[in-house]
Amino acid sequence: MKLTPIKLNPSQMAWRAAQDIADGAYVNLGIGFPEMVAKFQPPGREAIFHTENGILGFGAAPAPGEEDWDLINAGKKAVTLKPGTAFFHHADSFAMVRGGHLDVAILGAYEVAETGDLANWSTGPKGVPAVGGAMDLVHGAKQVAVLTDHVTKDGKPKLVQRCTLPLTGVACVTRIYSSLAVIDVSGGRFVLREKLAGLSLDDLQALTGATLHLDGPVADLIVPEL
Amino acid sequence: MKLTPIKLNPSQMAWRAAQDIADGAYVNLGIGFPEMVAKFQPPGREAIFHTENGILGFGAAPAPGEEDWDLINAGKKAVTLKPGTAFFHHADSFAMVRGGHLDVAILGAYEVAETGDLANWSTGPKGVPAVGGAMDLVHGAKQVAVLTDHVTKDGKPKLVQRCTLPLTGVACVTRIYSSLAVIDVSGGRFVLREKLAGLSLDDLQALTGATLHLDGPVADLIVPEL
Amino acid sequence: MDKALPDLATAVAGIDDGMTVMIGGFGGSGAPIELIHALIDRFLATGHPKDLTVVNNNAGNGHVGLAALIEAGMVRKLICSFPRSADPVVFTEAYRAGAIELELVPQGTLAERIRAGGAGIPAFYTPTSFGTDLAQGKPVAEFEGRPYVQERWLKADVALVKAHLGDRLGNLSYRMAGRNFNPLMCMAAARTIVQVSQIVEPGGIDPEAVVTPGIFVQGVVEVPNPAQEEDLNLAGAVYPEAAA
Amino acid sequence: MDKALPDLATAVAGIDDGMTVMIGGFGGSGAPIELIHALIDRFLATGHPKDLTVVNNNAGNGHVGLAALIEAGMVRKLICSFPRSADPVVFTEAYRAGAIELELVPQGTLAERIRAGGAGIPAFYTPTSFGTDLAQGKPVAEFEGRPYVQERWLKADVALVKAHLGDRLGNLSYRMAGRNFNPLMCMAAARTIVQVSQIVEPGGIDPEAVVTPGIFVQGVVEVPNPAQEEDLNLAGAVYPEAAA
């Protein structure tokens, strides 16, 4: 480890999120950055990964050229079998999701509100809308975490008082792993848990679109170089 | 065959019902007399039998002493495997029932009304009520047939204008195989299709609690000695 | 992760007074006789659990399994479709004496309510029971010109389930029609405890033939050569034997 | 009873203009490419079927399979959850040109609506989409203090399905995650046509491992070594080739 960087890269955000996943947890990782969380499971812990298209307990990506296109995840990327993998159809898969059987779902976000509202499926009426399993995943998982840059590419806050983009779900997000901080969403408030050591609370607040509340000490957000 | 008997015995009723089951039909037979229908499939026809507890395409009863108590029908009687048997859980089993996938369900009856209402699960507030799968079976099967004595042991009509016992289903019965006649239930009326040759229409009407309508010729109800 | 439990007593240890307990099986097929008897043993030793609400298709037969659970006085209410059997004397006497409450549910509705509980569906509409006494007090709605009854999900604190093979991840296969309500109850309970004839290594059940994926299971206990209720009843068995 | 069909042309013969057609698969896995291409062949030869409403999780990829069906101009409306892919140009262009209607449905709701269609459940409640644009116009109800959206069943005239093994009774097994929507669509269509890699004798699929019992299937056609959509797209394939 070296000096804390200005902001975490996606691998580092994924690493941080992975530290909170308990041994034996059932986890669904959203398409994109959240998929990287699987790579950073701490030694000695065995999480079981669920994918919407009907696999529980799949393994890592196969070597190039070894893909079997009947063995893919929700992002249509090839995965592998592990001892104890199970296959099932889509209705059973979403019974797992909607029925509250997942421990953690980790998703990307366009905006997260202090109310826990999430917007991550549509940037508005332009373009082709696509929702996939996001609206199902935000209901049912015991923890719905978001993995996201703290601000947009234009530097605007992604953590806001109220979402302006079309919602994925209402009052559903419980924790945010951002590129600058770890924040719980609780009782309609953002509660700061960890922040980069090189970043003052005032600077972090300035990059956040709603008030950051404190509830006990704020730890340094420390991650390895990745 | 000999002279038509005064009334059909249960085997003969079951035989008559079996003649109407097409090759390849999916059939659920109620507990009791209706179960006998399976024995009388005409040669060259292969119906597929469904049982509520999760078997499709099972075979006849095993020899005594050969029972496997994990391989039973809805009446908790032992059955056997056949090539092509499939097992499934109760929700899938009743998806077959409720979803309209069965061609024929054949049930017993306390009373059948000319409206198609059926009463076959409760003789009233005395005793322990038990419904099983009857209320599900009367919905979904393309044909819901009843196999029943034409009158009660006391000689009272079981085919009536309106049921007096608690209903199993409303407007659900499509055909009745009684000990005296074959009657369709159509448009809120009993339509006589076949009757025993030795029985006059007036005599049959006297044993029936609602008007028997004619819609085309009435055939003789002819069955083998069984 | 290892969901294997060392013995039956451990398997039933967390079941408390007043809980709703789903018990798999259709008649005797797929009935977790040994788990039920272990629960009775605990009640006889400790006085708990009692006042249970039990969900099962039936109401027990003879004096073993579910019938013995009722006979021991542990069951306050039964939710079932068909409380009759070859020898239903235990339930019938308790019911006539007003010692047990009965909620009668059509069999397909019972199965679908349990699945709904496991699938996060709080209510659904079914044609089953429309116009009958069993629809009394339930909302009715018309869809495409046909009337339907609204039914609610059914969940449990604990499910006691019988499967055939199981692994330490909780993956299960069943044996023939012993499947019945068992996979649904695994989904609908906060804590699902399964007796299996054999615990195998992960991968020991073909991933294509896993009927219950491990996510629906919290504990697995091995019971080789489990008893069949019908065999026990044909032999005139009574549980516990001392009560005979 | 023999549900085996002699060839793909026979398999798709009964699909008429304006029908609702469910097509199995999630992306390319479990997608019945050969059945879809046979349907395109029929359209090119006869001008039918057209004005189809297609139900699929996605909207096709590249210029084969579902994308080719859309490109041929046969699809009036698409009901799906995720009309994006590595190369979604065919759907995207048709959608932007107003040539195809889109009904966007959350993936789990899509699966449950199809299952409901097959199971005779006309409506159910789900937490999914509550408070979002996709719940607009749908009834909302509260159960145990939480709000839910009412969703309706989804049925089809025909389902085109890909399985692994099949027998003449219509029993099916699938291959890994190629299962996905296929077993549900078998249940929800008036007529389910299945391409299988191999037709086996009844009993050739272990009765414990039958995923789709034959009652849900009307026709089975053998397509050995079926194409994978991903392989076709990696090779830059276009269907029909003449259009390339």
Side-chain angles (χ1 to χ4, degrees), chain B residues 146-169:
Chain B
V146 156
L147 194 78
T148 181
D149 264 316
H150 203 87
V151 296
T152 67
K153 283 172 187 163
D154 303 338
K156 293 196 182 111
K158 297 182 80 168
L159 281 60
V160 297
Q161 283 189 305
R162 297 293 178 273
C163 293
T164 58
L165 292 169
L167 291 186
T168 305

Side-chain angles (χ1 to χ4, degrees), chain C residues 86-98:
Chain C
D87 179 13
V89 60
V90 169
F91 173 80
T92 303
E93 284 185 4
Y95 181 72
R96 291 207 164 124

Side-chain angles (χ1 to χ4, degrees), chain A residues 68 70 76 90 129 131-132 136, chain D residues 58 81 107-108 128 175 177 228:
Chain A
D68 183 323
D70 283 338
K76 277 93 175 179
H90 252 84
V131 65
D136 306 282
Chain D
N58 301 96
S81 91
Q107 194 172 140
T128 301
R175 187 164 178 277
Q228 285 285 16

Side-chain angles (χ1 to χ4, degrees), chain A residues 52-53 68-70 72 74 76 87 89-91 94 98 121 127-133 135-136 139 166-168, chain D residues 26-27 29 58 81-84 96 104 107-109 126-128 132-133 146 175-177 179-181 184 228 231:
Chain A
E52 293 95 306
N53 55 315
D68 183 323
W69 297 114
D70 283 338
I72 60 174
K76 277 93 175 179
F87 298 115
H89 60 50
H90 252 84
F94 280 88
R98 203 192 300 106
W121 72 281
V128 178
V131 65
M135 283 192 187
D136 306 282
H139 298 286
L167 292 185
T168 306
Chain D
F26 179 88
S29 67
N58 301 96
S81 91
F82 203 77
R84 283 190 208 141
R96 291 207 163 124
L104 194 70
Q107 194 172 140
T109 298
T126 173
T128 301
T132 78
D133 293 352
R146 196 175 161 190
R175 187 164 178 277
M176 302 199 281
R179 191 179 302 194
N180 57 66
F181 283 90
L184 307 173
Q228 285 285 16
D231 290 330

Side-chain angles (χ1 to χ4, degrees), chain D residues 19-209:
Chain D
M19 279 190 168
T20 294
V21 181
M22 291 180 175
I23 300 181
F26 179 88
S29 67
I33 300 290
E34 284 78 4
L35 280 171
I36 298 170
H37 288 179
L39 196 60
I40 295 171
D41 290 349
R42 197 175 135 227
F43 175 75
L44 294 175
T46 69
H48 307 284
K50 54 185 165 54
D51 293 328
L52 299 175
T53 294
V54 168
V55 182
N56 182 270
N57 185 65
N58 301 96
N61 193 18
H63 299 270
V64 298
L66 176 54
L69 196 77
I70 295 168
E71 197 159 31
M74 299 165 69
V75 183
R76 186 183 64 74
K77 179 180 177 182
L78 185 68
I79 301 175
C80 82
S81 91
F82 203 77
R84 283 190 208 141
S85 63
D87 180 12
V89 61
V90 168
F91 173 79
T92 303
E93 285 186 4
Y95 181 73
R96 291 207 163 124
I100 192 166
E101 186 185 342
L102 172 66
E103 180 180 340
L104 194 70
V105 182
Q107 194 172 140
T109 298
L110 183 63
E112 192 67 15
R113 289 178 63 193
I114 296 168
R115 180 191 176 273
I121 305 287
F124 60 90
Y125 287 92
T126 173
T128 301
S129 93
F130 174 76
T132 78
D133 293 352
L134 296 190
Q136 275 175 9
K138 293 175 181 171
V140 167
E142 196 171 288
F143 298 97
E144 298 168 30
R146 196 175 161 190
Y148 294 87
V149 178
Q150 186 192 94
E151 294 282 356
R152 299 292 311 282
W153 62 12
L154 198 51
K155 301 196 203 194
D157 299 297
V158 176
L160 299 181
V161 159
K162 182 183 186 179
H164 181 47
L165 303 181
D167 68 23
R168 65 172 173 79
L169 302 171
N171 292 307
L172 305 177
S173 68
Y174 299 86
R175 187 164 178 277
M176 302 199 281
R179 191 179 302 194
N180 57 66
F181 283 90
N182 281 301
L184 307 173
M185 290 179 172
C186 288
M187 298 168 68
R191 189 153 155 269
T192 292
I193 304 300
V194 188
Q195 67 168 76
V196 299
S197 297
Q198 192 187 346
I199 293 183
V200 298
E201 285 299 305
I205 307 171
D206 179 349
E208 304 280 6

Side-chain angles (χ1 to χ4, degrees), chain C residues 65-77:
Chain C
L66 176 54
L69 196 77
I70 295 169
E71 197 158 31
M74 299 166 68
V75 184
R76 186 184 64 75
K77 178 180 176 181

